[in-house]
Amino acid sequence: PLITLDSSTSFTFLAEGTNTITVQVAAGNALIQDTKDIAVHEYFQSQLLSFSPNLDFHNPDIPEWRQDIGNVIKKALVK
């Protein structure tokens, strides 16, 4: 089990195959739990992206541009 107060977490599976993950979230008196089976096919390295303020300046009021750029980079990495 991994317990954290961070808003996100990551985990690296050591082998390919089907894995069952369970996520449990607690807030006040509420507790929510969800379980999913995920398939790990191969190792995939993720890249953290950071954007300069210039991109925000040239793309005002367009919040989708970060997602669009991320999709383009993801497709390039997959190839």
Side-chain angles (χ1 to χ4, degrees):
L2 175 65
I3 299 172
T4 181
L5 295 176
D6 296 332
S7 61
S8 65
T9 186
S10 65
F11 182 81
T12 302
F13 293 95
L14 300 177
E16 294 182 11
T18 302
N19 296 277
T20 302
I21 60 167
T22 301
V23 176
Q24 190 176 74
V25 178
N29 292 333
L31 180 69
I32 299 172
Q33 180 172 310
D34 194 13
T35 301
K36 298 245 185 225
D37 289 329
I38 61 167
V40 177
H41 296 289
E42 60 184 60
Y43 176 76
F44 183 82
Q45 182 179 2
S46 64
Q47 301 291 327
L48 295 177
L49 301 176
S50 63
F51 301 100
S52 75
N54 291 334
L55 288 172
D56 281 323
F57 178 77
H58 293 291
N59 294 284
D61 300 322
I62 305 173
E64 297 85 9
W65 70 265
R66 290 177 185 262
Q67 185 175 356
D68 291 342
I69 290 173
N71 288 338
V72 168
I73 292 171
K74 180 180 175 182
K75 289 177 185 175
L77 288 173
V78 168
K79 289 181 182 179

